Amino acid sequence: MDGKQRVLVEALLVFSFIISIMLIFFPSEVPVRRAFSFLYIHSPFFPYARVIFPIFTILLYILRKQNKDELSIEQKMALWSDKKRDQ
């Protein structure tokens, strides 16, 4: 994973985790009624959102763990060119 992908996954992970906690433990305090109307407590999609956001958080965490030490193609090419130069 390169830097941009890592930052994007981390930001999505934090956002999803915060929304998951708010939906599960503080459903009446969810402040986003207009932008994310499905998160409103009386919405028909609210029960699904309470399930989807924690699952999405877990999947993002697994993705981050699996690709944590993986190098991008550009990083591998730079590493090989440095090794050839040293020899």
Side-chain angles (χ1 to χ4, degrees):
M1 241 194 254
D2 63 343
K4 290 179 185 177
Q5 289 175 341
R6 186 172 292 142
V7 169
L8 178 66
V9 168
E10 294 287 332
L12 285 174
L13 183 64
V14 169
F15 176 73
S16 177
F17 182 70
I18 290 171
I19 295 296
S20 298
I21 296 298
M22 290 176 70
L23 287 173
I24 293 171
F25 296 111
F26 310 106
S28 62
E29 300 294 325
V30 178
V32 285
R33 289 189 182 179
R34 291 187 183 162
F36 299 105
S37 60
F38 64 92
L39 298 178
Y40 185 58
I41 195 167
H42 297 294
S43 169
F45 299 111
F46 181 74
Y48 302 113
R50 289 183 74 172
V51 173
I52 290 172
F53 273 98
I55 291 172
F56 184 65
T57 304
I58 292 168
L59 290 176
L60 279 175
Y61 183 75
I62 291 170
L63 175 74
R64 185 181 72 117
K65 280 297 201 184
Q66 285 181 346
N67 297 329
K68 185 176 181 183
D69 295 328
E70 189 174 305
L71 297 175
S72 67
I73 294 173
E74 293 84 17
Q75 291 170 333
K76 288 178 184 177
M77 290 175 60
L79 183 64
W80 278 105
S81 67
D82 287 344
K83 284 184 179 180
K84 288 180 183 178
R85 198 174 339 142
D86 290 340
Q87 291 177 353

PDB file of all heavy atoms in Angstrom, residues 1 8 14 22 31 33 45 60 62-64 68 70 74-75:
ATOM      1  N   MET A   1       0.837  -1.172   0.000  1.00  0.00           N
ATOM      2  CA  MET A   1       0.000   0.000   0.000  1.00  0.00           C
ATOM      3  C   MET A   1       0.884   1.238   0.000  1.00  0.00           C
ATOM      4  O   MET A   1       1.814   1.319   0.778  1.00  0.00           O
ATOM      5  CB  MET A   1      -0.860   0.004   1.271  1.00  0.00           C
ATOM      6  CG  MET A   1      -2.322  -0.021   1.013  1.00  0.00           C
ATOM      7  SD  MET A   1      -3.259   0.382   2.464  1.00  0.00           S
ATOM      8  CE  MET A   1      -3.874  -1.208   2.890  1.00  0.00           C
ATOM      9  N   LEU A   8      -6.114   6.993   3.108  1.00  0.00           N
ATOM     10  CA  LEU A   8      -7.529   6.841   2.806  1.00  0.00           C
ATOM     11  C   LEU A   8      -8.157   5.721   3.631  1.00  0.00           C
ATOM     12  O   LEU A   8      -9.234   5.900   4.213  1.00  0.00           O
ATOM     13  CB  LEU A   8      -7.725   6.553   1.311  1.00  0.00           C
ATOM     14  CG  LEU A   8      -9.156   6.334   0.860  1.00  0.00           C
ATOM     15  CD1 LEU A   8      -9.963   7.613   1.024  1.00  0.00           C
ATOM     16  CD2 LEU A   8      -9.185   5.857  -0.569  1.00  0.00           C
ATOM     17  N   VAL A  14     -11.374   5.197  10.705  1.00  0.00           N
ATOM     18  CA  VAL A  14     -11.734   6.046  11.848  1.00  0.00           C
ATOM     19  C   VAL A  14     -13.176   6.540  11.717  1.00  0.00           C
ATOM     20  O   VAL A  14     -13.951   6.493  12.680  1.00  0.00           O
ATOM     21  CB  VAL A  14     -10.750   7.231  11.971  1.00  0.00           C
ATOM     22  CG1 VAL A  14     -11.243   8.264  12.957  1.00  0.00           C
ATOM     23  CG2 VAL A  14      -9.379   6.720  12.372  1.00  0.00           C
ATOM     24  N   MET A  22     -21.459   5.422  17.490  1.00  0.00           N
ATOM     25  CA  MET A  22     -22.615   6.297  17.683  1.00  0.00           C
ATOM     26  C   MET A  22     -23.923   5.563  17.388  1.00  0.00           C
ATOM     27  O   MET A  22     -24.911   5.730  18.106  1.00  0.00           O
ATOM     28  CB  MET A  22     -22.486   7.533  16.801  1.00  0.00           C
ATOM     29  CG  MET A  22     -21.393   8.475  17.258  1.00  0.00           C
ATOM     30  SD  MET A  22     -21.168   9.857  16.168  1.00  0.00           S
ATOM     31  CE  MET A  22     -22.662  10.766  16.482  1.00  0.00           C
ATOM     32  N   PRO A  31     -25.780  12.969  14.948  1.00  0.00           N
ATOM     33  CA  PRO A  31     -26.024  14.345  14.525  1.00  0.00           C
ATOM     34  C   PRO A  31     -26.231  14.528  13.031  1.00  0.00           C
ATOM     35  O   PRO A  31     -26.480  15.626  12.584  1.00  0.00           O
ATOM     36  CB  PRO A  31     -24.755  15.066  14.965  1.00  0.00           C
ATOM     37  CG  PRO A  31     -23.703  14.032  14.828  1.00  0.00           C
ATOM     38  CD  PRO A  31     -24.383  12.731  15.213  1.00  0.00           C
ATOM     39  N   ARG A  33     -28.465  14.163  10.221  1.00  0.00           N
ATOM     40  CA  ARG A  33     -29.812  13.827   9.770  1.00  0.00           C
ATOM     41  C   ARG A  33     -30.000  14.130   8.287  1.00  0.00           C
ATOM     42  O   ARG A  33     -30.680  13.409   7.603  1.00  0.00           O
ATOM     43  CB  ARG A  33     -30.849  14.601  10.573  1.00  0.00           C
ATOM     44  CG  ARG A  33     -30.941  14.110  11.983  1.00  0.00           C
ATOM     45  CD  ARG A  33     -32.098  14.724  12.671  1.00  0.00           C
ATOM     46  NE  ARG A  33     -32.148  14.259  14.053  1.00  0.00           N
ATOM     47  CZ  ARG A  33     -33.029  14.635  14.921  1.00  0.00           C
ATOM     48  NH1 ARG A  33     -33.953  15.506  14.566  1.00  0.00           N
ATOM     49  NH2 ARG A  33     -33.018  14.171  16.143  1.00  0.00           N
ATOM     50  N   PHE A  45     -33.833   2.320   7.166  1.00  0.00           N
ATOM     51  CA  PHE A  45     -32.509   1.740   6.955  1.00  0.00           C
ATOM     52  C   PHE A  45     -31.643   1.733   8.215  1.00  0.00           C
ATOM     53  O   PHE A  45     -30.536   1.226   8.194  1.00  0.00           O
ATOM     54  CB  PHE A  45     -31.769   2.495   5.846  1.00  0.00           C
ATOM     55  CG  PHE A  45     -32.470   2.437   4.534  1.00  0.00           C
ATOM     56  CD1 PHE A  45     -33.046   3.575   3.997  1.00  0.00           C
ATOM     57  CD2 PHE A  45     -32.577   1.249   3.838  1.00  0.00           C
ATOM     58  CE1 PHE A  45     -33.701   3.523   2.790  1.00  0.00           C
ATOM     59  CE2 PHE A  45     -33.230   1.182   2.623  1.00  0.00           C
ATOM     60  CZ  PHE A  45     -33.800   2.335   2.091  1.00  0.00           C
ATOM     61  N   LEU A  60     -12.309  -3.172   6.919  1.00  0.00           N
ATOM     62  CA  LEU A  60     -11.230  -2.200   6.701  1.00  0.00           C
ATOM     63  C   LEU A  60     -10.030  -2.498   7.588  1.00  0.00           C
ATOM     64  O   LEU A  60      -8.876  -2.358   7.162  1.00  0.00           O
ATOM     65  CB  LEU A  60     -11.721  -0.777   6.962  1.00  0.00           C
ATOM     66  CG  LEU A  60     -12.492  -0.119   5.838  1.00  0.00           C
ATOM     67  CD1 LEU A  60     -13.020   1.229   6.297  1.00  0.00           C
ATOM     68  CD2 LEU A  60     -11.635   0.048   4.611  1.00  0.00           C
ATOM     69  N   ILE A  62      -9.127  -5.463   8.720  1.00  0.00           N
ATOM     70  CA  ILE A  62      -8.465  -6.647   8.166  1.00  0.00           C
ATOM     71  C   ILE A  62      -7.664  -6.280   6.924  1.00  0.00           C
ATOM     72  O   ILE A  62      -6.529  -6.724   6.753  1.00  0.00           O
ATOM     73  CB  ILE A  62      -9.506  -7.744   7.862  1.00  0.00           C
ATOM     74  CG1 ILE A  62     -10.068  -8.290   9.165  1.00  0.00           C
ATOM     75  CG2 ILE A  62      -8.901  -8.860   7.027  1.00  0.00           C
ATOM     76  CD1 ILE A  62     -11.263  -9.207   8.983  1.00  0.00           C
ATOM     77  N   LEU A  63      -8.225  -5.441   6.064  1.00  0.00           N
ATOM     78  CA  LEU A  63      -7.511  -4.975   4.878  1.00  0.00           C
ATOM     79  C   LEU A  63      -6.236  -4.246   5.250  1.00  0.00           C
ATOM     80  O   LEU A  63      -5.183  -4.458   4.654  1.00  0.00           O
ATOM     81  CB  LEU A  63      -8.408  -4.068   4.045  1.00  0.00           C
ATOM     82  CG  LEU A  63      -7.762  -3.408   2.836  1.00  0.00           C
ATOM     83  CD1 LEU A  63      -7.567  -4.428   1.736  1.00  0.00           C
ATOM     84  CD2 LEU A  63      -8.613  -2.249   2.357  1.00  0.00           C
ATOM     85  N   ARG A  64      -6.323  -3.402   6.257  1.00  0.00           N
ATOM     86  CA  ARG A  64      -5.153  -2.646   6.701  1.00  0.00           C
ATOM     87  C   ARG A  64      -4.084  -3.577   7.260  1.00  0.00           C
ATOM     88  O   ARG A  64      -2.898  -3.425   6.991  1.00  0.00           O
ATOM     89  CB  ARG A  64      -5.546  -1.633   7.757  1.00  0.00           C
ATOM     90  CG  ARG A  64      -4.405  -0.724   8.179  1.00  0.00           C
ATOM     91  CD  ARG A  64      -4.877   0.220   9.244  1.00  0.00           C
ATOM     92  NE  ARG A  64      -5.059  -0.498  10.483  1.00  0.00           N
ATOM     93  CZ  ARG A  64      -4.371  -0.263  11.587  1.00  0.00           C
ATOM     94  NH1 ARG A  64      -3.495   0.684  11.616  1.00  0.00           N
ATOM     95  NH2 ARG A  64      -4.589  -0.971  12.667  1.00  0.00           N
ATOM     96  N   LYS A  68      -0.335  -4.127   5.361  1.00  0.00           N
ATOM     97  CA  LYS A  68       0.453  -3.177   6.129  1.00  0.00           C
ATOM     98  C   LYS A  68       1.894  -3.076   5.635  1.00  0.00           C
ATOM     99  O   LYS A  68       2.418  -1.996   5.444  1.00  0.00           O
ATOM    100  CB  LYS A  68       0.452  -3.568   7.606  1.00  0.00           C
ATOM    101  CG  LYS A  68       1.150  -2.579   8.494  1.00  0.00           C
ATOM    102  CD  LYS A  68       1.023  -2.979   9.938  1.00  0.00           C
ATOM    103  CE  LYS A  68       1.708  -1.955  10.814  1.00  0.00           C
ATOM    104  NZ  LYS A  68       1.664  -2.338  12.208  1.00  0.00           N
ATOM    105  N   GLU A  70       3.116  -4.412   2.758  1.00  0.00           N
ATOM    106  CA  GLU A  70       3.239  -4.658   1.332  1.00  0.00           C
ATOM    107  C   GLU A  70       3.710  -3.383   0.622  1.00  0.00           C
ATOM    108  O   GLU A  70       3.204  -2.291   0.857  1.00  0.00           O
ATOM    109  CB  GLU A  70       1.877  -5.077   0.785  1.00  0.00           C
ATOM    110  CG  GLU A  70       1.919  -5.561  -0.632  1.00  0.00           C
ATOM    111  CD  GLU A  70       0.574  -6.093  -1.047  1.00  0.00           C
ATOM    112  OE1 GLU A  70       0.063  -6.982  -0.355  1.00  0.00           O
ATOM    113  OE2 GLU A  70       0.054  -5.597  -2.044  1.00  0.00           O
ATOM    114  N   GLU A  74       6.136   0.856  -7.462  1.00  0.00           N
ATOM    115  CA  GLU A  74       7.166   1.890  -7.541  1.00  0.00           C
ATOM    116  C   GLU A  74       8.200   1.730  -6.427  1.00  0.00           C
ATOM    117  O   GLU A  74       9.397   1.923  -6.642  1.00  0.00           O
ATOM    118  CB  GLU A  74       6.539   3.293  -7.465  1.00  0.00           C
ATOM    119  CG  GLU A  74       5.682   3.653  -8.640  1.00  0.00           C
ATOM    120  CD  GLU A  74       4.267   3.137  -8.528  1.00  0.00           C
ATOM    121  OE1 GLU A  74       3.845   2.771  -7.397  1.00  0.00           O
ATOM    122  OE2 GLU A  74       3.586   3.080  -9.567  1.00  0.00           O
ATOM    123  N   GLN A  75       7.736   1.368  -5.230  1.00  0.00           N
ATOM    124  CA  GLN A  75       8.660   1.169  -4.120  1.00  0.00           C
ATOM    125  C   GLN A  75       9.555  -0.038  -4.360  1.00  0.00           C
ATOM    126  O   GLN A  75      10.746  -0.002  -4.055  1.00  0.00           O
ATOM    127  CB  GLN A  75       7.882   0.999  -2.810  1.00  0.00           C
ATOM    128  CG  GLN A  75       7.191   2.258  -2.357  1.00  0.00           C
ATOM    129  CD  GLN A  75       6.245   2.005  -1.200  1.00  0.00           C
ATOM    130  OE1 GLN A  75       5.725   0.903  -1.031  1.00  0.00           O
ATOM    131  NE2 GLN A  75       6.009   3.032  -0.398  1.00  0.00           N
TER     132      GLN A  75
END
